[in-house]
Amino acid sequence: MGLLDIVKKDLIINPLKSTSRNEIISDMVDLFADNRKLTESERAAVKKAVLDREALGSTAMEKGIAIPHAKIPFLKESALVIGISRIPVDFGGSEKSSIFFLVLASEEKPAEHVQLLASIARLCSSDVFVRMLATSKSADDVYQLFFD
Amino acid sequence: MEAKFPFRKVLVYLDGSEGSMSAAMYAILLAKSSSSQLHALYCVNTKALGDLVKARIFVSQEKNEYLADLNKDAHRHIRHIEKLAASKDLTVSSVIVEGSPNAEVSRYIKENKIDLLVLGSVNMIRSRREELTSETDRMLRTSTCPVLVCRDDDAVWQMFEEL
């Protein structure tokens, strides 16, 4: 499974309304949970897994990008939620973040998870792509950028 | 008259995906019907792990966990192809390596004089972005020997059962 297989228009939030790290994670997990019709306990487990991972060290990187992620025991297929914030948010890194890729991985497929994260990192090495993402106006714009 | 095949050494690349397991079955079918040697390679992508640490997406504790998970996955898939091959009275030279999959496959092809590479799947071209090229796409483009891309999973499973 490649990155483009998991980019879904209905799993993109643009713009994000929240302004703190935990709220942003919560909003992105909620979108995923609603989309996949997760139970309340599953929703809470996903949030906890992502926050626990952030507690080990922020996933904020250069260029205003953050890639929160976690392995989720009950997931059969990996999933990606993308969020774009108009206002840069303190995500615990050395610079504020405005582009968020939430990667939720199936525990059974570690190779796929590594591949997906590496693809996102490679994609974000393009300054042009990052600039276009940051200035995108809607979920449609973001989706289109991947399939250009 | 006995059929002649333009290959004697077949390598199948395993990456833990369902597609690569179909490729493994197809490679067994090919090797069996052509009396070729069968090789299987799983590459633990330590290049990607290193890149993820460098980009601060992984912390080192996480990298070690994933390294252990990937090694477990590698052994599971190698055991699986060995079992599949044995079920067709075929032996397979299997190897687990660490590094960049494309580079390791290229090196293995050269060092072992492989003359056919079997891959599970390549991505449909849905984006012009070079950064989205997968490892198997790169292998297809850069292989120094002929490449066979195995596509139809169900048909392969059925053929394998019938052999």
Side-chain angles (χ1 to χ4, degrees), chain A residues 3-5 53 56 58-59 61 67 69 71 108 110-111 113-115 117-118 121-123 126 129 145-148, chain B residues 15 42 45 48-49 52 55-59 61-62 65-66 69-70 73 76 126-129 131-133 135 138:
Chain A
L3 179 60
L4 294 181
D5 295 314
R53 165 57 193 87
L56 291 176
S58 171
T59 56
M61 49 187 275
I67 311 183
H69 58 270
K71 286 187 277 189
E108 294 164 14
H113 188 191
V114 169
Q115 274 298 326
L117 290 171
R122 245 192 336 262
L123 196 58
S126 160
F129 182 77
L145 279 175
F146 282 86
F147 293 92
D148 253 358
Chain B
D15 63 5
Y42 187 115
N45 196 344
L49 283 179
L52 291 174
R56 300 192 49 201
I57 297 166
F58 270 4
V59 291
Q61 175 192 334
E62 205 175 15
E65 272 178 32
Y66 268 92
D69 286 349
L70 291 174
D73 201 48
R76 194 160 54 88
R126 287 177 292 181
S127 171
R128 286 175 296 150
R129 298 193 182 282
E131 299 90 349
L132 290 171
T133 309
E135 289 293 340
R138 283 197 190 92

Side-chain angles (χ1 to χ4, degrees), chain A residues 10 12-13 62 66 68 71 77 81-83 87 105 127 132 137 139:
Chain A
D10 48 7
I12 299 172
I13 309 176
E62 295 171 332
K71 286 187 277 189
E77 298 294 340
V81 184
I82 301 171
I87 305 150
D127 291 338
M132 287 164 93
K137 300 273 183 275

Side-chain angles (χ1 to χ4, degrees), chain A residues 31-63:
Chain A
L31 179 65
F32 171 74
D34 292 343
N35 187 274
R36 297 289 171 93
K37 299 185 172 42
L38 297 191
T39 64
E40 281 310 308
S41 67
E42 287 172 333
R43 181 189 302 255
V46 174
K47 277 183 198 175
K48 183 176 182 316
V50 177
L51 289 170
D52 285 352
R53 165 57 193 87
E54 283 297 318
L56 291 176
S58 171
T59 56
M61 49 187 275
E62 295 171 332
K63 298 179 189 169

Side-chain angles (χ1 to χ4, degrees), chain A residues 3-132:
Chain A
L3 179 60
L4 294 181
D5 295 314
I6 59 166
V7 175
K8 306 286 179 205
K9 211 181 282 189
D10 48 7
L11 288 178
I12 299 172
I13 309 176
N14 189 7
L16 282 160
K17 301 245 165 55
S18 297
T19 54
S20 76
R21 185 192 72 168
N22 287 11
E23 285 171 350
I24 283 176
I25 289 173
S26 184
D27 289 351
M28 294 176 81
V29 171
D30 281 341
L31 179 65
F32 171 74
D34 292 343
N35 187 274
R36 297 289 171 93
K37 299 185 172 42
L38 297 191
T39 64
E40 281 310 308
S41 67
E42 287 172 333
R43 181 189 302 255
V46 174
K47 277 183 198 175
K48 183 176 182 316
V50 177
L51 289 170
D52 285 352
R53 165 57 193 87
E54 283 297 318
L56 291 176
S58 171
T59 56
M61 49 187 275
E62 295 171 332
K63 298 179 189 169
I65 298 158
I67 311 183
H69 58 270
K71 286 187 277 189
I72 309 297
F74 55 82
L75 272 194
K76 291 281 172 231
E77 298 294 340
S78 299
L80 171 68
V81 184
I82 301 171
I84 310 291
S85 173
R86 299 271 181 273
I87 305 150
V89 173
D90 181 0
F91 214 72
S94 55
E95 57 183 272
K96 291 187 173 183
S97 310
S98 53
I99 300 168
F100 304 90
F101 294 95
L102 172 66
V103 180
L104 303 171
S106 162
E107 238 180 19
E108 294 164 14
K109 297 175 180 169
E112 185 181 281
H113 188 191
V114 169
Q115 274 298 326
L116 292 172
L117 290 171
S119 294
I120 295 170
R122 245 192 336 262
L123 196 58
C124 291
S125 66
S126 160
D127 291 338
V128 176
F129 182 77
V130 172
R131 203 163 43 241
M132 287 164 93

